PDB file of all heavy atoms in Angstrom:
ATOM      1  N   GLN A 142      42.891   9.648   6.290  1.00 98.00           N
ATOM      2  CA  GLN A 142      43.237  10.024   4.919  1.00 98.00           C
ATOM      3  C   GLN A 142      44.712  10.374   4.807  1.00 98.00           C
ATOM      4  O   GLN A 142      45.237  11.184   5.576  1.00 98.00           O
ATOM      5  CB  GLN A 142      42.406  11.237   4.463  1.00 98.00           C
ATOM      6  CG  GLN A 142      42.734  11.656   3.040  1.00 98.00           C
ATOM      7  CD  GLN A 142      42.133  12.988   2.651  1.00 98.00           C
ATOM      8  OE1 GLN A 142      41.618  13.716   3.492  1.00 98.00           O
ATOM      9  NE2 GLN A 142      42.205  13.332   1.377  1.00 98.00           N
ATOM     10  N   ARG A 344      36.871   5.728  -3.023  1.00 98.00           N
ATOM     11  CA  ARG A 344      36.319   7.071  -2.908  1.00 98.00           C
ATOM     12  C   ARG A 344      36.390   7.651  -4.312  1.00 98.00           C
ATOM     13  O   ARG A 344      37.438   7.619  -4.952  1.00 98.00           O
ATOM     14  CB  ARG A 344      37.127   7.902  -1.908  1.00 98.00           C
ATOM     15  CG  ARG A 344      36.707   9.372  -1.794  1.00 98.00           C
ATOM     16  CD  ARG A 344      37.533  10.238  -2.704  1.00 98.00           C
ATOM     17  NE  ARG A 344      37.442  11.673  -2.361  1.00 98.00           N
ATOM     18  CZ  ARG A 344      37.972  12.637  -3.106  1.00 98.00           C
ATOM     19  NH1 ARG A 344      38.626  12.366  -4.224  1.00 98.00           N
ATOM     20  NH2 ARG A 344      37.858  13.885  -2.737  1.00 98.00           N
ATOM     21  N   PHE A 385      30.712  18.221  -2.563  1.00 93.00           N
ATOM     22  CA  PHE A 385      30.867  19.304  -1.595  1.00 93.00           C
ATOM     23  C   PHE A 385      29.542  19.954  -1.226  1.00 93.00           C
ATOM     24  O   PHE A 385      29.493  20.755  -0.291  1.00 93.00           O
ATOM     25  CB  PHE A 385      31.790  20.390  -2.171  1.00 93.00           C
ATOM     26  CG  PHE A 385      33.234  20.260  -1.765  1.00 93.00           C
ATOM     27  CD1 PHE A 385      34.085  19.413  -2.450  1.00 93.00           C
ATOM     28  CD2 PHE A 385      33.751  20.991  -0.708  1.00 93.00           C
ATOM     29  CE1 PHE A 385      35.418  19.289  -2.095  1.00 93.00           C
ATOM     30  CE2 PHE A 385      35.079  20.880  -0.338  1.00 93.00           C
ATOM     31  CZ  PHE A 385      35.919  20.028  -1.031  1.00 93.00           C
ATOM     32  N   MET A 401      31.350  12.136   1.261  1.00 98.00           N
ATOM     33  CA  MET A 401      32.215  12.965   2.096  1.00 98.00           C
ATOM     34  C   MET A 401      31.367  14.153   2.537  1.00 98.00           C
ATOM     35  O   MET A 401      31.021  15.012   1.730  1.00 98.00           O
ATOM     36  CB  MET A 401      33.448  13.403   1.314  1.00 98.00           C
ATOM     37  CG  MET A 401      34.311  12.243   0.856  1.00 98.00           C
ATOM     38  SD  MET A 401      35.832  12.780   0.032  1.00 98.00           S
ATOM     39  CE  MET A 401      36.870  13.199   1.441  1.00 98.00           C
ATOM     40  N   TYR A 403      30.802  17.181   3.580  1.00 98.00           N
ATOM     41  CA  TYR A 403      31.140  18.593   3.752  1.00 98.00           C
ATOM     42  C   TYR A 403      29.909  19.419   4.122  1.00 98.00           C
ATOM     43  O   TYR A 403      29.953  20.270   5.000  1.00 98.00           O
ATOM     44  CB  TYR A 403      31.749  19.149   2.466  1.00 98.00           C
ATOM     45  CG  TYR A 403      33.125  18.642   2.125  1.00 98.00           C
ATOM     46  CD1 TYR A 403      33.308  17.684   1.139  1.00 98.00           C
ATOM     47  CD2 TYR A 403      34.262  19.138   2.762  1.00 98.00           C
ATOM     48  CE1 TYR A 403      34.574  17.220   0.799  1.00 98.00           C
ATOM     49  CE2 TYR A 403      35.534  18.680   2.440  1.00 98.00           C
ATOM     50  CZ  TYR A 403      35.682  17.727   1.451  1.00 98.00           C
ATOM     51  OH  TYR A 403      36.940  17.271   1.127  1.00 98.00           O
ATOM     52  N   THR A 407      31.060  19.272   7.911  1.00 98.00           N
ATOM     53  CA  THR A 407      32.213  20.184   7.906  1.00 98.00           C
ATOM     54  C   THR A 407      31.780  21.638   7.942  1.00 98.00           C
ATOM     55  O   THR A 407      32.240  22.418   8.795  1.00 98.00           O
ATOM     56  CB  THR A 407      33.076  19.946   6.651  1.00 98.00           C
ATOM     57  OG1 THR A 407      33.258  18.546   6.434  1.00 98.00           O
ATOM     58  CG2 THR A 407      34.418  20.652   6.781  1.00 98.00           C
ATOM     59  N   TRP A 411      32.360  24.221  11.054  1.00 98.00           N
ATOM     60  CA  TRP A 411      33.263  25.367  10.841  1.00 98.00           C
ATOM     61  C   TRP A 411      32.576  26.681  11.216  1.00 98.00           C
ATOM     62  O   TRP A 411      33.193  27.547  11.829  1.00 98.00           O
ATOM     63  CB  TRP A 411      33.721  25.408   9.389  1.00 98.00           C
ATOM     64  CG  TRP A 411      34.874  24.518   9.052  1.00 98.00           C
ATOM     65  CD1 TRP A 411      35.267  23.387   9.705  1.00 98.00           C
ATOM     66  CD2 TRP A 411      35.775  24.676   7.956  1.00 98.00           C
ATOM     67  NE1 TRP A 411      36.353  22.831   9.090  1.00 98.00           N
ATOM     68  CE2 TRP A 411      36.696  23.598   8.016  1.00 98.00           C
ATOM     69  CE3 TRP A 411      35.889  25.607   6.936  1.00 98.00           C
ATOM     70  CZ2 TRP A 411      37.723  23.447   7.081  1.00 98.00           C
ATOM     71  CZ3 TRP A 411      36.913  25.461   5.996  1.00 98.00           C
ATOM     72  CH2 TRP A 411      37.818  24.390   6.083  1.00 98.00           C
ATOM     73  N   MET A 460      33.883  14.938   8.344  1.00 98.00           N
ATOM     74  CA  MET A 460      35.260  15.429   8.334  1.00 98.00           C
ATOM     75  C   MET A 460      35.323  16.821   8.936  1.00 98.00           C
ATOM     76  O   MET A 460      34.370  17.595   8.853  1.00 98.00           O
ATOM     77  CB  MET A 460      35.781  15.496   6.896  1.00 98.00           C
ATOM     78  CG  MET A 460      35.678  14.196   6.123  1.00 98.00           C
ATOM     79  SD  MET A 460      35.977  14.456   4.370  1.00 98.00           S
ATOM     80  CE  MET A 460      34.675  15.611   3.979  1.00 98.00           C
ATOM     81  N   LEU A 461      36.466  17.147   9.502  1.00 98.00           N
ATOM     82  CA  LEU A 461      36.757  18.505   9.959  1.00 98.00           C
ATOM     83  C   LEU A 461      37.704  19.215   9.008  1.00 98.00           C
ATOM     84  O   LEU A 461      38.030  20.380   9.202  1.00 98.00           O
ATOM     85  CB  LEU A 461      37.347  18.461  11.364  1.00 98.00           C
ATOM     86  CG  LEU A 461      36.402  17.900  12.420  1.00 98.00           C
ATOM     87  CD1 LEU A 461      37.143  17.614  13.719  1.00 98.00           C
ATOM     88  CD2 LEU A 461      35.235  18.851  12.669  1.00 98.00           C
ATOM     89  N   GLY A 462      38.132  18.519   7.982  1.00 98.00           N
ATOM     90  CA  GLY A 462      39.028  19.051   6.972  1.00 98.00           C
ATOM     91  C   GLY A 462      39.538  17.910   6.119  1.00 98.00           C
ATOM     92  O   GLY A 462      39.349  16.730   6.450  1.00 98.00           O
ATOM     93  N   SER A 463      40.182  18.248   5.015  1.00 98.00           N
ATOM     94  CA  SER A 463      40.724  17.234   4.111  1.00 98.00           C
ATOM     95  C   SER A 463      41.872  17.858   3.336  1.00 98.00           C
ATOM     96  O   SER A 463      42.265  19.006   3.591  1.00 98.00           O
ATOM     97  CB  SER A 463      39.636  16.744   3.141  1.00 98.00           C
ATOM     98  OG  SER A 463      39.358  17.739   2.164  1.00 98.00           O
ATOM     99  N   HIS A 464      42.379  17.123   2.357  1.00 98.00           N
ATOM    100  CA  HIS A 464      43.464  17.654   1.522  1.00 98.00           C
ATOM    101  C   HIS A 464      42.989  18.801   0.635  1.00 98.00           C
ATOM    102  O   HIS A 464      43.806  19.442  -0.024  1.00 98.00           O
ATOM    103  CB  HIS A 464      44.038  16.532   0.660  1.00 98.00           C
ATOM    104  CG  HIS A 464      43.119  16.089  -0.436  1.00 98.00           C
ATOM    105  ND1 HIS A 464      41.908  15.480  -0.188  1.00 98.00           N
ATOM    106  CD2 HIS A 464      43.211  16.184  -1.782  1.00 98.00           C
ATOM    107  CE1 HIS A 464      41.311  15.213  -1.337  1.00 98.00           C
ATOM    108  NE2 HIS A 464      42.073  15.631  -2.319  1.00 98.00           N
ATOM    109  N   ASP A 465      41.685  19.049   0.602  1.00 97.00           N
ATOM    110  CA  ASP A 465      41.132  20.129  -0.227  1.00 97.00           C
ATOM    111  C   ASP A 465      40.708  21.348   0.582  1.00 97.00           C
ATOM    112  O   ASP A 465      40.078  22.258   0.027  1.00 97.00           O
ATOM    113  CB  ASP A 465      39.913  19.606  -1.005  1.00 97.00           C
ATOM    114  CG  ASP A 465      40.297  18.774  -2.213  1.00 97.00           C
ATOM    115  OD1 ASP A 465      41.356  19.042  -2.810  1.00 97.00           O
ATOM    116  OD2 ASP A 465      39.546  17.834  -2.556  1.00 97.00           O
ATOM    117  N   THR A 466      41.007  21.369   1.872  1.00 97.00           N
ATOM    118  CA  THR A 466      40.557  22.481   2.719  1.00 97.00           C
ATOM    119  C   THR A 466      41.708  23.003   3.565  1.00 97.00           C
ATOM    120  O   THR A 466      42.751  22.361   3.701  1.00 97.00           O
ATOM    121  CB  THR A 466      39.437  22.027   3.685  1.00 97.00           C
ATOM    122  OG1 THR A 466      40.007  21.239   4.748  1.00 97.00           O
ATOM    123  CG2 THR A 466      38.363  21.207   2.969  1.00 97.00           C
ATOM    124  N   ALA A 467      41.485  24.161   4.158  1.00 97.00           N
ATOM    125  CA  ALA A 467      42.392  24.625   5.199  1.00 97.00           C
ATOM    126  C   ALA A 467      42.393  23.622   6.347  1.00 97.00           C
ATOM    127  O   ALA A 467      41.458  22.830   6.518  1.00 97.00           O
ATOM    128  CB  ALA A 467      41.963  25.999   5.704  1.00 97.00           C
ATOM    129  N   ARG A 468      43.446  23.625   7.136  1.00 98.00           N
ATOM    130  CA  ARG A 468      43.518  22.742   8.292  1.00 98.00           C
ATOM    131  C   ARG A 468      42.574  23.213   9.395  1.00 98.00           C
ATOM    132  O   ARG A 468      42.364  24.416   9.587  1.00 98.00           O
ATOM    133  CB  ARG A 468      44.946  22.707   8.852  1.00 98.00           C
ATOM    134  CG  ARG A 468      45.918  21.894   8.023  1.00 98.00           C
ATOM    135  CD  ARG A 468      45.808  20.424   8.319  1.00 98.00           C
ATOM    136  NE  ARG A 468      46.804  19.646   7.564  1.00 98.00           N
ATOM    137  CZ  ARG A 468      46.964  18.341   7.666  1.00 98.00           C
ATOM    138  NH1 ARG A 468      46.192  17.646   8.490  1.00 98.00           N
ATOM    139  NH2 ARG A 468      47.880  17.718   6.962  1.00 98.00           N
ATOM    140  N   LEU A 495      39.512  11.612   9.270  1.00 98.00           N
ATOM    141  CA  LEU A 495      40.437  12.701   9.549  1.00 98.00           C
ATOM    142  C   LEU A 495      41.588  12.687   8.571  1.00 98.00           C
ATOM    143  O   LEU A 495      41.986  11.636   8.062  1.00 98.00           O
ATOM    144  CB  LEU A 495      40.956  12.629  10.980  1.00 98.00           C
ATOM    145  CG  LEU A 495      41.736  11.397  11.409  1.00 98.00           C
ATOM    146  CD1 LEU A 495      42.835  11.803  12.398  1.00 98.00           C
ATOM    147  CD2 LEU A 495      40.805  10.398  12.100  1.00 98.00           C
ATOM    148  N   PHE A 496      42.107  13.881   8.289  1.00 98.00           N
ATOM    149  CA  PHE A 496      43.233  14.051   7.390  1.00 98.00           C
ATOM    150  C   PHE A 496      44.515  13.915   8.198  1.00 98.00           C
ATOM    151  O   PHE A 496      44.669  14.559   9.242  1.00 98.00           O
ATOM    152  CB  PHE A 496      43.146  15.425   6.719  1.00 98.00           C
ATOM    153  CG  PHE A 496      44.219  15.700   5.694  1.00 98.00           C
ATOM    154  CD1 PHE A 496      44.812  14.677   4.962  1.00 98.00           C
ATOM    155  CD2 PHE A 496      44.628  17.000   5.449  1.00 98.00           C
ATOM    156  CE1 PHE A 496      45.785  14.945   4.015  1.00 98.00           C
ATOM    157  CE2 PHE A 496      45.600  17.277   4.512  1.00 98.00           C
ATOM    158  CZ  PHE A 496      46.187  16.254   3.789  1.00 98.00           C
ATOM    159  N   ASP A 499      46.034  16.131  11.307  1.00 98.00           N
ATOM    160  CA  ASP A 499      45.096  16.886  12.150  1.00 98.00           C
ATOM    161  C   ASP A 499      45.213  16.449  13.603  1.00 98.00           C
ATOM    162  O   ASP A 499      45.007  17.251  14.526  1.00 98.00           O
ATOM    163  CB  ASP A 499      43.659  16.705  11.666  1.00 98.00           C
ATOM    164  CG  ASP A 499      43.286  17.658  10.540  1.00 98.00           C
ATOM    165  OD1 ASP A 499      44.091  18.546  10.221  1.00 98.00           O
ATOM    166  OD2 ASP A 499      42.188  17.510   9.982  1.00 98.00           O
ATOM    167  N   THR A 507      45.245  26.916   3.008  1.00 96.00           N
ATOM    168  CA  THR A 507      44.476  26.448   1.854  1.00 96.00           C
ATOM    169  C   THR A 507      44.619  24.935   1.775  1.00 96.00           C
ATOM    170  O   THR A 507      45.430  24.335   2.487  1.00 96.00           O
ATOM    171  CB  THR A 507      44.999  27.052   0.539  1.00 96.00           C
ATOM    172  OG1 THR A 507      46.344  26.569   0.310  1.00 96.00           O
ATOM    173  CG2 THR A 507      44.995  28.571   0.572  1.00 96.00           C
ATOM    174  N   GLY A 508      43.847  24.320   0.872  1.00 96.00           N
ATOM    175  CA  GLY A 508      43.999  22.889   0.705  1.00 96.00           C
ATOM    176  C   GLY A 508      45.420  22.506   0.340  1.00 96.00           C
ATOM    177  O   GLY A 508      45.977  21.539   0.873  1.00 96.00           O
ATOM    178  N   ALA A 511      47.751  23.001   3.201  1.00 97.00           N
ATOM    179  CA  ALA A 511      47.445  22.070   4.285  1.00 97.00           C
ATOM    180  C   ALA A 511      48.076  20.698   4.079  1.00 97.00           C
ATOM    181  O   ALA A 511      48.075  19.877   5.001  1.00 97.00           O
ATOM    182  CB  ALA A 511      45.929  21.918   4.428  1.00 97.00           C
ATOM    183  N   ARG A 512      48.608  20.431   2.888  1.00 98.00           N
ATOM    184  CA  ARG A 512      49.210  19.127   2.599  1.00 98.00           C
ATOM    185  C   ARG A 512      50.635  19.092   3.154  1.00 98.00           C
ATOM    186  O   ARG A 512      51.623  18.921   2.441  1.00 98.00           O
ATOM    187  CB  ARG A 512      49.170  18.859   1.100  1.00 98.00           C
ATOM    188  CG  ARG A 512      47.745  18.825   0.552  1.00 98.00           C
ATOM    189  CD  ARG A 512      47.680  18.860  -0.963  1.00 98.00           C
ATOM    190  NE  ARG A 512      46.287  19.062  -1.406  1.00 98.00           N
ATOM    191  CZ  ARG A 512      45.917  19.248  -2.675  1.00 98.00           C
ATOM    192  NH1 ARG A 512      46.829  19.266  -3.641  1.00 98.00           N
ATOM    193  NH2 ARG A 512      44.646  19.426  -2.979  1.00 98.00           N
TER     194      ARG A 512
END
Side-chain angles (χ1 to χ4, degrees):
Q142 180 191 10
R344 175 266 196 187
F385 265 83
M401 298 184 80
Y403 290 103
T407 316
W411 277 24
M460 305 168 300
L461 297 168
S463 73
H464 71 295
D465 282 329
T466 75
R468 285 279 183 178
L495 61 145
F496 183 29
D499 276 353
T507 65
R512 299 168 190 174

